[in-house]
């Protein structure tokens, strides 16, 4: 056994191990390190934004409105492409998809390597873009003509190339996940038996493969409009700026599900583990995710209700958007039904998962409000929208990231997390983000528009509250850094399965930390009875 | 009512802030601005209705979540149940949301059609977004002017910071105003919350919206689409006045902007008929049409545009939905 274990743990040393890595766990770790690093930068930018908005008038960006817009752009792009996606997809996906399906690695290990390093290169380009000429002050949506004739400097070109590289990285990673999941499952691990996290990764990957090329096309047209005199989006040459918005949101709306589906997967595992009960309605959960993925492609123009779309279009996009609430509701109720009758242990991962359900519900119901095209005259591009998407993403997706982090950190490092500090981290974050984002609903309803460095004095009160929440969130980030330090300096080690009978998926059958090579021999899964994570012989 | 001669002083007597309806945000406000137009009344009503529904749904979910955490805690319930399936329950929580959403969709569609149906207009207002000010034109009345933000140190008492423009859009109370919107540089969005208007101004497109102000007053708005450095500094002031006061303002405005009234003023969207090549005097100041007040702030004279873009659609044409469609 020990010789066998030693062989499983054979790994290259030094920089070669990381730069040339083809190991799914090492690459997953690289993604997580990149995500945490970018997350600290992205959070720092958020705090700068909240500091500027703390009071009416310009605080420290006097006559630097362009820099404020660059901060807003960088915050959005970093959080979407370099924090949430790398953590949920590249990080946890790489680590746990092969482990959950009993595969020794990803299908294309070298492709996996280039996927990661393309993303690292994209981050370099993005950081550079902010420092070139006047930087990209376009928002993460990069709408023309502001991103073309409105920004003559090369900063926007760098940002576009950064998005291009990040997109290529995502598509390559997605191809890898799809191939791995479809072809490398252990025998008797049929599709309908796959754990929900694996399903979420499969669907997210399919969305990526279908959506990113649209973004790539739109960005390429932007580049040629900017540099080679084409007029795809320029009416002077027969183009149309609204055409860009259709292309962008045809990618952009699936993108939000790309970020949230893996979060759904993680929450399902955490809820089932800590209620010591298999997930309720495993099949229903799969169908709900499929429905979300499909409908997610048919609602894009609800981001564009005010562009001058005809009424039939607005009615259609209102209806289609409302429909998404149905499968989302199925997921929420299935999580509650999983908890119902369980034997709930309120450990830190479950706290984050419950926080996710709470915040995602708030963000979900405000989504139902925003779905109504008729209300967009009051709410479009207002702080109500900012509140909504931060509830589902910055809080929803991020809470799921932390749920996954505390759930799997023992498996990844072999070391326990500090329970008390984890709880403190959760409560500080929960209070901080709610204080920050809930008042934004009020600001938006009263008529405060997005992406402004200064606002009418009437909004001073709620902005002060929101910024106070941000300072609490600063404390929570610091606590998280202490948590990281405590984990990596811990002397104790955790067992292969620290969670007991509730943790049933295959990653808990390998030692902690997971050896460098796992499942070099295929694990055995019986045709009957069904694996423990299923309810009734699905 | 007394009409004060000269510039912006006109009508100030009847419309001192605080005396009349003021469509602007208030400190610690938590809801929509009070409706001042029929469309906004419908918006407020639909929002109030949907808000009740979503508060109900959110409370149900929070209640269930709280209950399971309390009731099925490991201390209270040491042995977990083994069931994980209940077909009827799954059907119920699929069908009931469908019914709730249908109950939202029906009034929602009604609102959409109501917003889309513009009643016969009494007045047409043209809005053109620029970096970073608005141009307005009343084509039937031969009036056009620009509106810039009033800087903080120039504000009069009672004028809200960042919301005060140097030239209000004056409209008669109770009349249907059709708004036609476009832009000549980047995207902007003309938003006046209390009037239920928020429509993007898009280069190369002519969008349409409408409002009908119910009460005299000042209604404040802003640019709602990121348009660059001074995006936060493009306020809109709509001043609704009784009809006679409106007529007086129109006269005042005409005299102010054109010393020879019978000559009339070229509407904003027909400036393309003027050709600077054949009329060199037009070249002197690219933002100035001969005999007219400057067409833009003096400091914005860098990017010279002689014509509104030739691709601007004729006003009669309806807004399009899809590119090329
Ligand atoms: Cu603007």
């Amino acid at each position: 056994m020990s010789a066998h274990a030693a062989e499983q743990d054979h790994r290259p040393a030094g920089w070669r191990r990381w730069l040339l890595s083809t190991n799914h766990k090492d690459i997953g770790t690289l993604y997580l390190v990149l995500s945490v690093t970018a997350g600290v930068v992205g959070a720092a930018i958020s705090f700068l934004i909240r500091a500027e908005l703390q009071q009416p008038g310009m605080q420290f960006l006097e006559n630097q409105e362009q820099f404020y817009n660059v901060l807003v752009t960088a915050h959005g792009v970093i959080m979407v492409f370099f924090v949430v996606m790398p953590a949920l997809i590249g990080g946890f996906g790489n680590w746990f998809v092969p482990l959950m399906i009993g595969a020794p690695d990803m299908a294309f290990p070298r492709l996996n390597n280039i996927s990661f390093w393309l993303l690292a290169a994209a981050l370099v380009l993005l950081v550079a873009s902010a420092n070139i000429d006047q930087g990209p002050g376009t928002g993460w949506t990069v709408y023309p003509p502001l991103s073309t004739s409105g920004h003559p400097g090369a900063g926007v070109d760098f940002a576009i190339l950064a998005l291009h590289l990040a997109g290529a990285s995502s598509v390559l990673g997605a191809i890898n996940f799809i191939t791995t999941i479809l072809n490398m499952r252990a025998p008797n691990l049929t599709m309908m038996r796959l754990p929900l996290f694996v399903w979420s990764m499969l669907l997210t990957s399919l969305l990526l493969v279908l959506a990113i090329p649209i973004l790539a096309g739109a960005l390429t047209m932007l580049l040629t409009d900017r540099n080679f005199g084409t007029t795809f989006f320029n009416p002077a040459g027969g183009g149309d700026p609204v055409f860009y918005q259709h292309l962008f949101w045809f990618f952009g709306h699936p993108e939000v599900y790309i970020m949230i589906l893996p979060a759904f997967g993680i929450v399902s595992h955490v809820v089932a583990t800590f209620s010591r009960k298999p997930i309720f309605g495993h099949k229903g959960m799969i169908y709900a995710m499929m429905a979300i993925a499909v409908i997610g492609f048919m609602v894009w123009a609800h981001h564009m209700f005010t562009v001058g779309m005809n009424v039939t279009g607005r009615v259609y996009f209102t209806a289609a958007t409302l429909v998404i609430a149905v499968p989302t509701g199925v997921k929420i109720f299935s999580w509650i039904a999983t908890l119902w009758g369980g034997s709930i242990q309120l450990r830190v991962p479950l706290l984050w998962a419950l926080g996710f359900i709470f915040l995602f519900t708030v963000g979900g119901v405000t989504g139902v409000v925003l779905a109504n095209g008729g209300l967009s005259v009051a709410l479009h591009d207002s702080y109500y929208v900012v509140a909504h998407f931060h509830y589902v993403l910055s809080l929803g997706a991020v809470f799921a990231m932390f749920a996954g982090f505390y759930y799997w950190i023992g498996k990844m490092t072999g070391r326990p997390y500090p329970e008390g500090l984890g709880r403190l981290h959760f409560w500080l974050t929960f209070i901080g983000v709610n204080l920050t984002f809930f008042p934004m609903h009020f600001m938006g309803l009263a008529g405060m528009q997005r992406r402004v460095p200064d606002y009418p004095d009437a909004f001073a009160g709620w902005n002060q509250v929101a910024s106070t929440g941000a300072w609490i969130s600063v404390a929570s980030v610091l606590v998280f850094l202490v948590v990281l330090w405590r984990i990596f300096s811990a002397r104790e080690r955790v067992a292969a399965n620290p969670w007991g009978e509730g943790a049933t998926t295959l990653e808990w059958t390998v030692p902690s930390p997971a050896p460098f090579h796992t499942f070099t021999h295929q694990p055995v899964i019986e045709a009957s009875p069904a694996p423990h994570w299923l309810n009734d012989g699905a | 009512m007394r009409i004060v001669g000269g510039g912006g002083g006109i009508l100030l007597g009847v419309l001192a802030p605080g005396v009349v309806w003021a469509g602007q945000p208030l400190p610690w406000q938590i809801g929509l601005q009070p409706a001042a137009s029929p469309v906004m009344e419908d918006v407020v009503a639909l929002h109030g209705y949907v808000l009740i529904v979503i508060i109900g749904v959110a409370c149900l979910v929070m209640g269930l979540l709280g209950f399971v955490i309390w009731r099925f805690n490991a201390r209270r319930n040491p042995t977990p149940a083994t069931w994980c399936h209940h077909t009827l329950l799954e059907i119920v929580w699929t069908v009931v949301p469908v019914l709730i959403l249908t109950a939202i969709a029906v009034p929602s569609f009604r609102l959409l059609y109501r917003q889309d149906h513009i009643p016969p207009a009494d007045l047409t207002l043209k809005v053109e977004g620029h970096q970073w000010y608005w141009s307005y034109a009343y084509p039937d009345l031969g009036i056009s002017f620009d509106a810039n933000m009033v800087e903080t140190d120039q504000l009069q008492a009672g004028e809200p910071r960042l919301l005060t423009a140097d030239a209000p859009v004056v409209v008669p109370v109770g009349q249907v105003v059709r708004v036609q919107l476009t832009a000549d540089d980047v995207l902007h969005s003309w938003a006046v919350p209390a009037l239920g208007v928020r429509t993007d101004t898009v280069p190369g497109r002519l969008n349409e919206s409408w409002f009908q102000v119910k009460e005299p007053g000042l209604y404040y708005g802003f640019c709602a689409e990121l348009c660059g450095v001074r995006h936060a500094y493009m306020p809109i002031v709509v001043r609704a006045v009784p009809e006679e006061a409106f007529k007086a303002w129109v006269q005042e405005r005409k005299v102010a902007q054109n010393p020879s009234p019978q000559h009339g003023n070229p509407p904003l969207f027909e400036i393309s008929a003027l050709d600077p090549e054949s009329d060199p005097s037009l070249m002197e100041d690219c933002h100035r049409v001969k005999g007219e007040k400057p067409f833009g702030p003096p400091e914005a004279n860098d990017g010279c545009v002689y014509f509104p873009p030739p691709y601007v659609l004729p006003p009669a044409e309806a807004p399009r939905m899809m590119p090329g469609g």
Side-chain angles (χ1 to χ4, degrees):
Chain A
M1 182 63 208
S2 64
H4 187 64
E7 186 187 312
Q8 281 184 339
D9 241 14
H10 172 77
R11 65 189 78 187
W15 61 270
R16 289 170 168 275
R17 173 178 172 192
W18 301 105
L19 187 66
L20 308 179
S21 181
T22 53
N23 180 289
H24 71 104
K25 301 185 193 78
D26 277 0
I27 293 174
T29 303
L30 286 171
Y31 270 110
L32 289 173
V33 169
L34 182 130
S35 172
V36 171
T37 312
V40 171
V41 176
I45 294 175
S46 321
F47 300 138
L48 283 179
I49 292 173
R50 279 314 327 163
E52 176 52 55
L53 294 176
Q54 182 154 5
Q55 285 160 13
M58 299 304 277
Q59 311 309 309
F60 61 96
L61 292 176
E62 190 74 51
N63 294 322
Q64 293 187 67
E65 285 86 358
Q66 175 66 18
F67 182 60
Y68 179 85
N69 291 346
V70 171
L71 287 179
V72 167
T73 309
H75 168 73
V77 174
I78 287 176
M79 289 304 193
V80 169
F81 290 95
F82 299 98
V83 179
V84 173
M85 290 174 70
L88 290 175
I89 303 172
F92 296 138
N94 261 307
W95 254 97
F96 293 105
V97 164
L99 285 179
M100 285 185 186
I101 64 174
D105 205 308
M106 295 288 282
F108 307 118
R110 286 165 201 244
L111 192 68
N112 209 3
N113 175 291
I114 196 67
S115 300
F116 172 78
W117 287 108
L118 280 177
L119 190 67
L123 184 56
V124 172
L125 278 181
L126 183 77
V127 172
S129 79
N131 301 297
I132 292 170
D133 295 324
Q134 80 275 48
T138 60
W140 84 288
T141 50
V142 209
Y143 278 0
L146 184 61
S147 62
T148 51
S149 55
H151 270 80
V156 172
D157 295 308
F158 271 70
I160 290 172
L161 289 170
L163 290 175
H164 255 316
L165 281 191
S169 151
S170 301
V171 169
L172 296 179
I175 290 169
N176 214 343
F177 280 115
I178 294 170
T179 315
T180 307
I181 295 168
L182 292 185
N183 295 294
M184 294 173 67
R185 284 168 285 128
N188 290 326
L189 196 51
T190 58
M191 289 305 284
M192 289 314 285
R193 284 180 159 192
L194 278 182
L196 291 179
F197 179 68
V198 180
W199 258 108
S200 73
M201 289 302 304
L202 177 63
L203 290 167
T204 278
S205 303
L206 288 168
L207 293 187
L208 278 169
V209 168
L210 291 172
I212 295 276
I214 313 293
L215 173 70
L219 291 175
T220 305
M221 288 186 253
L222 263 192
L223 271 183
T224 62
D225 268 14
R226 286 177 55 79
N227 297 299
F228 306 113
T230 58
T231 56
F232 293 106
F233 309 127
N234 181 357
D240 184 357
V242 176
F243 173 45
Y244 173 86
Q245 298 183 26
H246 281 289
L247 291 174
F248 181 85
W249 289 113
F250 194 87
F251 147 79
H253 197 79
E255 171 67 24
V256 306
Y257 296 109
I258 285 164
M259 288 187 275
I260 210 66
L261 282 172
F264 287 166
I266 291 173
V267 168
S268 297
H269 283 238
V270 171
V271 165
T273 296
F274 294 97
S275 41
R276 292 201 285 152
K277 203 164 149 266
I279 195 80
F280 181 96
H282 188 261
K283 271 186 197 158
M285 291 292 241
I286 294 172
Y287 293 140
M289 285 196 286
M290 285 179 178
I292 289 169
V294 172
I295 306 169
F297 270 107
M298 308 197 297
V299 298
W300 73 92
H302 68 205
H303 297 264
M304 304 163 53
F305 279 137
T306 60
V307 298
M309 197 190 311
N310 71 358
V311 69
T312 318
R314 278 179 287 159
V315 166
Y316 163 73
F317 283 109
T318 295
T321 307
L322 287 172
V323 168
I324 287 206
V326 175
T328 314
V330 167
K331 297 204 70 77
I332 301 263
F333 290 124
S334 296
W335 287 321
I336 293 175
T338 306
L339 292 159
W340 197 286
S343 180
I344 299 170
Q345 295 166 301
L346 271 180
R347 302 291 299 274
V348 174
L350 185 63
L351 280 180
W352 289 98
L354 295 174
F356 170 91
I357 297 172
F358 177 94
L359 299 166
F360 195 79
T361 302
V362 175
V365 295
T366 58
V368 169
V369 175
L370 289 167
N372 295 284
L375 298 183
S376 62
V377 294
L379 301 175
H380 181 84
D381 262 342
S382 76
Y383 256 79
Y384 195 90
V385 177
V386 177
H388 159 71
F389 69 74
H390 279 92
Y391 263 87
V392 288
L393 288 180
S394 122
L395 316 189
V398 169
F399 271 56
M401 278 160 54
F402 282 121
F405 172 84
Y406 285 100
Y407 185 54
W408 283 318
I409 191 67
K411 182 56 63 187
M412 294 189 286
T413 63
R415 299 151 197 264
Y417 65 83
E419 190 80 22
L421 275 175
R423 281 170 191 283
L424 179 67
H425 178 210
F426 169 79
W427 284 110
L428 278 177
T429 312
F430 188 78
I431 293 167
V433 296
N434 276 296
L435 215 49
T436 299
F437 294 109
F438 204 81
M440 290 185 186
H441 296 113
F442 304 147
M443 301 175 201
L445 287 169
M448 178 167 162
Q449 77 273 45
R450 294 172 70 176
R451 294 169 165 168
V452 287
D454 193 3
Y455 45 80
D457 302 339
F459 299 115
W462 288 124
N463 271 291
Q464 176 74 55
V465 174
S467 290
T468 308
W471 308 133
I472 297 176
S473 302
V474 173
S476 83
V477 172
L478 296 178
V479 171
F480 177 61
L481 295 177
V482 176
V483 166
L484 280 179
W485 173 72
R486 285 282 300 277
I487 288 168
F488 287 100
S489 63
R491 293 175 179 280
E492 312 91 89
R493 292 293 180 267
V494 296
N497 177 2
W499 307 128
E501 59 179 291
T504 48
T505 39
L506 287 180
E507 78 268 31
W508 304 111
T509 63
V510 303
S512 296
F516 197 63
H517 296 295
T518 39
F519 297 132
T520 45
H521 301 284
Q522 248 174 359
V524 178
I525 290 174
E526 304 293 340
S528 173
H532 292 299
W533 62 82
L534 296 174
N535 35 11
D536 43 18
Chain B
M1 148 196 359
R2 199 171 76 88
I3 294 181
V4 185
I10 188 165
L11 304 175
L12 213 65
V14 273
L15 290 176
V19 181
V20 293
W21 193 300
Q24 61 174 307
L26 301 171
W28 301 105
Q29 182 171 337
I30 61 169
L32 292 167
Q33 292 184 18
S37 75
V39 164
M40 191 57 187
E41 278 177 352
D42 291 0
V43 167
V44 170
L46 180 67
H47 178 261
Y49 166 64
V50 178
L51 186 65
I52 290 168
V53 174
I54 66 167
I55 288 176
V57 171
C59 287
L60 174 73
V61 172
M62 305 311 160
L64 287 172
L65 212 50
F67 176 76
V68 292
I69 293 169
W70 168 76
R71 173 62 186 81
F72 300 105
N73 202 287
R75 267 164 294 167
R76 191 177 282 267
N77 195 39
T79 318
T82 52
W83 55 268
C84 306
H85 204 70
H86 194 292
T87 309
L88 181 64
L89 199 57
E90 288 181 81
I91 290 172
V92 167
W93 71 43
T94 308
V95 172
V96 171
V98 169
L99 296 177
I100 294 175
L101 292 168
T102 310
I104 291 176
V106 171
S108 181
F109 295 164
R110 205 179 293 143
L111 173 62
L112 281 168
Y113 284 108
R114 171 117 192 220
Q115 286 168 331
D116 189 60
H117 174 74
I118 304 182
D122 303 306
L123 182 67
T124 300
L125 171 69
K126 296 199 169 181
V127 176
E128 190 172 5
H130 307 269
Q131 287 177 317
W132 289 274
Y133 63 97
W134 300 101
S135 296
Y136 298 105
Y138 297 69
D140 307 328
L141 305 173
I143 295 175
S144 61
F145 55 90
D146 296 327
N148 285 278
M149 185 180 79
V150 177
E151 296 294 335
T152 305
D153 51 7
Q154 320 263 313
L155 289 171
Q156 312 285 320
E159 291 182 332
R161 198 177 64 87
L162 299 184
L163 286 175
T164 303
D166 59 5
V169 176
V170 178
V171 296
V173 167
Q175 295 196 6
V176 174
V177 181
R178 169 176 43 203
V179 193
Q180 298 186 322
L181 311 98
T182 189
D184 81 336
D185 39 42
V186 303
L187 303 172
H188 304 270
S189 186
W190 200 75
V192 186
L195 301 181
V197 180
R198 181 178 309 236
T199 304
D200 293 1
T201 67
V202 184
R205 284 186 173 225
L206 192 70
N207 281 333
E208 241 180 357
S209 183
W210 70 283
F211 62 84
Q212 182 183 20
V213 191
K214 300 173 77 78
E215 301 286 340
L218 289 165
Y219 303 91
Y220 292 94
F222 43 82
C223 174
E225 178 65 56
L226 179 61
C227 58
V229 174
R230 290 179 60 83
H231 164 52
Y233 311 138
M234 293 180 62
I236 298 160
V237 181
V238 175
R239 171 180 288 173
V241 298
E243 177 145 24
E244 316 83 73
F246 176 70
K247 282 184 179 149
W249 175 80
V250 169
Q251 270 325 110
E252 172 93 9
R253 196 80 228 185
K254 275 185 172 168
V255 172
Q257 81 185 34
N258 196 337
S260 57
Q262 69 275 26
H263 174 63
N265 202 62
L268 184 62
F269 290 72
E270 285 167 24
I271 295 173
S272 54
L274 302 171
D275 181 0
E277 304 243 340
S278 60
D279 182 359
S281 67
L282 288 169
M283 302 279 279
E284 288 170 14
D285 174 354
C286 59
H287 290 277
R288 175 188 287 270
V289 174
K290 206 177 176 185
E292 198 188 5
K293 119 185 218 320
F295 186 67
E299 68 271 24
N301 275 359
D302 44 356
C304 294
V305 181
Y306 292 99
F307 314 112
Y311 39 80
V312 169
L313 298 173
E317 195 158 316
R320 296 168 299 162
M321 176 196 168
M322 299 290 176

